[in-house]
Amino acid sequence: MYFCVTKKFFLLRYILGVPLVHNVLCNNMAIGSIFSTLFTHSITTQVSVEQENAIKALELFISTEKDESISVKEICTIYIEKLCRSGNLSDAAYLLGHLHSRDINVCLNTYNILLTAIVESNNFSLFSEVFKSLLISNLPPDITSYNKVAEAFQKVAESDLVVNFVKDVCDITFGKDPTVINRIIFVTAKFGQIDKSLMIFKMLKNLDSKADTVTFNTVLAILGKAGRINEMMAEFMVMKDLGHIPDMITYSTLINCLRRLGRLDLCKTIANEMLEQGFEMDLLTYTALVDVYGRAGHVEDALGTFEEMKKSQHPSVYAYRSVISDLKRAGKFDLALRLSAEMNSSTTKLAGPEDFKQKRKSRWKIKQVG
Ligand SMILES: *[C@@H]1O[C@H](CO)[C@@H](O)[C@H](O)[C@H]1NC(C)=O
Ligand SMILES: *[C@@H]1O[C@H](CO)[C@@H](O)[C@H](O)[C@H]1NC(C)=O
Ligand SMILES: *[C@@H]1O[C@H](CO)[C@@H](O)[C@H](O)[C@H]1NC(C)=O
């Protein structure tokens, strides 16, 4: 008899040594009703001997569970995570897909555990299969899943494999917004693989209509941070040519990158274009302009911009310090002293790092999902 209730579920958890973190809300089908749905193979799918055995082993595992109140999803999750720990990754990958086809969907966390184990085992084709089945399951990947993609890319030598992976991801997400690819582009660059990231971007562009404003914003930031200003400006032109409307994030990304490289000329051009497009200067763009004017030795302009900023913003400590040091360098010690006193007397109102952080968060548009 399969399902006599003799053991409490916590005992099972104790034996397996896994804390149970998954909720019981979905796939709450009782174990008693599972076998009919789980193990009737469709005649059309080809199942290998190994796969057959993987299913049988899962079947056995479920049959030894005595607590009828435990959901199928929970017990399958426990089993798959056990496979991950014991390194039976192909079985785990196969079972995830199989369960999905039987409408039993494990949580994102289980996918992430499997992706992590596969990256460690260094098998890109298996990684690709599991990431794709995650996309097909309609669970939105989270930052952990994307980080694993970048780690997997780091370990793969042939770029053909990356190309095929990206093509498949594009196919799966066809007709949806390019969020998944955007995040892959972002995270790949974040892990230091700028060329791979740009290659993926090129693929996306060639599939026209796929890239969006977020894609371009991401790539502009990647190029700007890498100091590749000419390419950044070229992509900005392409972006507009393709009809993607630059937003405030586009402009502040450009201005901030240009500032860091001391490109006053381009900073002014972009700031003017931004104003012409009906956007207003914000804390970040003002601060960037003050900084770049100062670096170029244009003290009057730095001060003028700073005074203008005060009409609409609480200037940051950075902006104060930057103007004060500009003034000192230009020998205008009286003015420097006056601003220093002003800064001291208004410390409570000054914009701090949080104000910038908020900006940055919205700039990357990486939403926490899942
Ligand atoms: C994983 O594979 C090994 C052999 O490689 C086997 O001994 C072990 O029982 C398997 N683990 C599970 C949970 O099936
Ligand atoms: C990667 O995983 C696939 C699918 O399980 C397997 O067929 C292949 O042999 C593995 N490759 C390596 C290098 O381990
Ligand atoms: C501003 O505060 C700093 C540190 O508290 C002090 O050293 C400096 O003299 C002050 N400047 C003015 C102009 O009051």
Side-chain angles (χ1 to χ4, degrees), residues 89-91 93 121-127 129:
L89 305 180
S90 318
D91 283 356
S121 82
N122 203 359
N123 184 334
F124 190 79
S125 63
L126 189 57
F127 181 88
E129 288 314 312

Side-chain angles (χ1 to χ4, degrees), residues 8 31 55 65 75 110 141 159 183 186 209 225 247 253 312 323:
K8 288 276 181 253
I31 286 175
I55 295 176
E65 172 50 51
I75 196 156
T110 306
S159 60
R183 289 176 186 176
F186 169 75
S209 84
K225 279 186 177 174
D247 57 14
T253 300
S312 61
V323 181

Side-chain angles (χ1 to χ4, degrees), residues 336-344:
L337 202 63
R338 188 171 68 72
L339 277 189
S340 175
E342 186 180 299
M343 177 172 81
N344 282 3

Side-chain angles (χ1 to χ4, degrees), residues 137-157:
S137 80
N138 274 330
L139 285 170
D142 68 1
I143 198 87
T144 305
S145 331
Y146 287 112
N147 284 346
K148 293 302 158 192
V149 173
E151 286 175 31
F153 283 174
Q154 274 177 330
K155 290 185 165 190
V156 64

Side-chain angles (χ1 to χ4, degrees), residues 59-237:
E59 186 179 13
L60 184 68
F61 186 76
I62 294 176
S63 72
T64 54
E65 172 50 51
K66 302 297 192 296
D67 184 350
E68 281 189 9
S69 70
I70 175 178
S71 76
V72 169
K73 172 181 158 166
E74 278 175 322
I75 196 156
C76 290
T77 296
I78 290 168
Y79 185 69
I80 285 171
E81 293 182 4
K82 186 167 121 84
L83 288 176
C84 290
R85 280 194 305 275
S86 60
N88 298 356
L89 305 180
S90 318
D91 283 356
Y94 171 70
L95 287 177
L96 274 188
H98 178 76
L99 291 171
H100 175 70
S101 74
R102 297 294 189 278
D103 263 340
I104 297 165
N105 293 303
V106 300
C107 299
L108 178 62
N109 186 45
T110 306
Y111 277 96
N112 284 343
I113 288 171
L114 179 55
L115 290 173
T116 304
I118 296 174
V119 168
E120 273 159 26
S121 82
N122 203 359
N123 184 334
F124 190 79
S125 63
L126 189 57
F127 181 88
S128 167
E129 288 314 312
V130 173
F131 191 80
K132 286 185 283 182
S133 76
L134 170 57
L135 294 179
I136 290 166
S137 80
N138 274 330
L139 285 170
D142 68 1
I143 198 87
T144 305
S145 331
Y146 287 112
N147 284 346
K148 293 302 158 192
V149 173
E151 286 175 31
F153 283 174
Q154 274 177 330
K155 290 185 165 190
V156 64
E158 310 99 285
S159 60
D160 279 3
L161 291 177
V162 174
V163 168
N164 289 337
F165 172 75
V166 171
K167 273 188 199 148
D168 289 350
V169 170
C170 286
D171 283 347
I172 292 170
T173 57
F174 184 79
K176 298 182 188 158
D177 66 37
T179 304
V180 172
I181 293 287
N182 286 347
R183 289 176 186 176
I184 290 177
I185 290 172
F186 169 75
V187 81
T188 306
K190 190 180 86 178
F191 276 63
Q193 309 170 87
I194 293 181
D195 290 335
K196 246 174 218 162
S197 168
L198 294 175
M199 179 192 81
I200 298 167
F201 168 61
K202 273 208 194 84
M203 288 180 66
L204 189 63
K205 251 193 327 188
N206 291 340
L207 296 168
D208 43 46
S209 84
K210 269 298 216 161
D212 66 1
T213 297
V214 178
T215 317
F216 277 94
N217 287 348
T218 305
V219 169
L220 295 177
I222 291 168
L223 290 169
K225 279 186 177 174
R228 293 159 71 160
I229 290 304
N230 292 342
E231 288 163 85
M232 180 180 83
M233 295 310 290
E235 287 306 340
F236 179 52
M237 294 304 160

